[in-house]
Amino acid sequence: NTAMSSPYHAGFVAVIGRPNVGKSTIMNGLLGQKLSITSPKPQTTRHRIHGIHTTEHFQIVFVDTPGMHLGASKSINRYMNRAANSAFGDVDAVLFVVEAGRWSKEDQAVADKCQNLDVPVIVLVNKIDKFKQKEELFPFLQKVGEKVPFEALIPVSAYTKSGFDAIETEILKHIPEQPAIFPEDYITDRSTRFLASEIVREKLMRTLGDEVPYGATVEIEQFKFDEEENRWHINALILVERPGQKQIVIGKKGEQIKQMGIQARKDLMHLLDSRVHLELWVKVKENWSDDERALASLGYTE
Ligand code: GDP
Ligand code: K
Ligand code: MG
């Protein structure tokens, strides 16, 4: 074959939008691997995280972000907005995710930010699987198109992966010709230890009711491979803000925390490709989410 191979492309793409539109689910879907945690609760993603998708022809570094939300009064909420905003810097394109059929003030605030960007904005209208009749979507697509200065507007579903080929094609138009930025076997900028703490936190977000998860964070206290036992030993400390929350996390006869442990362990074995011994502990640390020093020591640093 004498055909010239096409030049290599590599670049950064930020995934932005208000909480709960499906940013993390979309990034995981594009990566073909679950990296960023997801749940039906807003503010599941608290930290910026890179997901690196490398092929023979291109490397796309997705930057998943916490959802931008209005009225961030607590320190942790301000941290999340900072993490989201900082993703705008030095990217080659932005994926602005919105939810089909729903446009709120928070979407408008993100759209307003997009007005001043000098990088292309690709709008993804996600969750179209919720619409049986595609025609029902047209007025919404039109409305969104009028509000955002977009390069492309793509209806997608992270559940069915409808529209995913179009996302990749569109991104490739905007990332520069250059060699890969990260080694080809890198999947993220985050440590395995960080990913482990996120897996435990995901179980909290998914399992507990509405109030507790926002007051909870996870610290990995031990993370080591035992050669003799041929398995990882992981101790994770769940920090909550009040004694009542601790009781809820533990549950009646410890049933709640046991179930979360079972689910987290399953994901950790998958992540580490190894057997895992997991211990979960719960401790009260009052007001950690509104205390700058506590936040920094718990890894909430830019
Ligand atoms: P983020 O806060 O924007 O990162 O949103 P997540 O990725 O955590 O997703 C929020 C919720 O929306 C979760 O319950 C997801 O399972 C759900 N979700 C994500 N993508 C889709 C989709 O394409 N269709 C439907 N029906 N739900 C979705
Ligand atoms: K979420
Ligand atoms: Mg997220």
Side-chain angles (χ1 to χ4, degrees), residues 22-25 36-38 44-45 64-67:
K23 296 178 296 299
S24 300
T25 312
S36 198
I37 65 168
T38 66
T44 301
T45 308
D64 189 17
T65 63

Side-chain angles (χ1 to χ4, degrees), residues 36-167:
S36 198
I37 65 168
T38 66
S39 95
K41 294 197 178 64
Q43 293 153 41
T44 301
T45 308
R46 288 182 184 163
H47 307 270
R48 199 163 17 98
I49 175 172
H50 289 175
I52 307 169
H53 181 46
T54 307
T55 73
E56 252 181 276
H57 306 289
F58 60 83
Q59 182 175 72
I60 304 172
V61 183
F62 294 102
V63 187
D64 189 17
T65 63
M68 288 188 215
H69 51 287
L70 300 168
S73 54
K74 276 186 162 188
S75 300
I76 189 171
N77 298 96
R78 287 197 300 271
Y79 164 81
M80 288 192 276
N81 274 346
R82 275 202 309 278
N85 276 312
S86 67
F88 278 110
D90 289 332
V91 294
D92 301 294
V94 159
L95 296 180
F96 174 14
V97 184
V98 302
E99 182 174 336
R102 293 176 111 185
W103 182 269
S104 71
K105 267 197 278 186
E106 292 190 307
D107 295 294
Q108 187 59 52
V110 182
D112 293 344
K113 284 213 163 78
C114 288
Q115 299 283 353
N116 310 316
L117 288 179
D118 48 8
V119 293
V121 175
I122 302 163
V123 179
L124 305 182
V125 178
N126 190 31
K127 309 196 187 184
I128 59 166
D129 53 279
K130 287 187 169 179
F131 287 74
K132 291 284 161 285
Q133 303 291 326
K134 296 302 161 219
E135 304 78 54
E136 289 173 38
L137 260 174
F138 295 162
F140 183 78
L141 295 178
Q142 174 129 24
K143 182 171 142 190
V144 173
E146 285 160 10
K147 290 180 184 295
V148 195
F150 64 92
E151 195 70 32
L153 193 145
I154 311 173
V156 305
S157 164
Y159 278 8
T160 66
K161 297 212 173 173
S162 161
F164 269 42
D165 288 342
I167 302 176

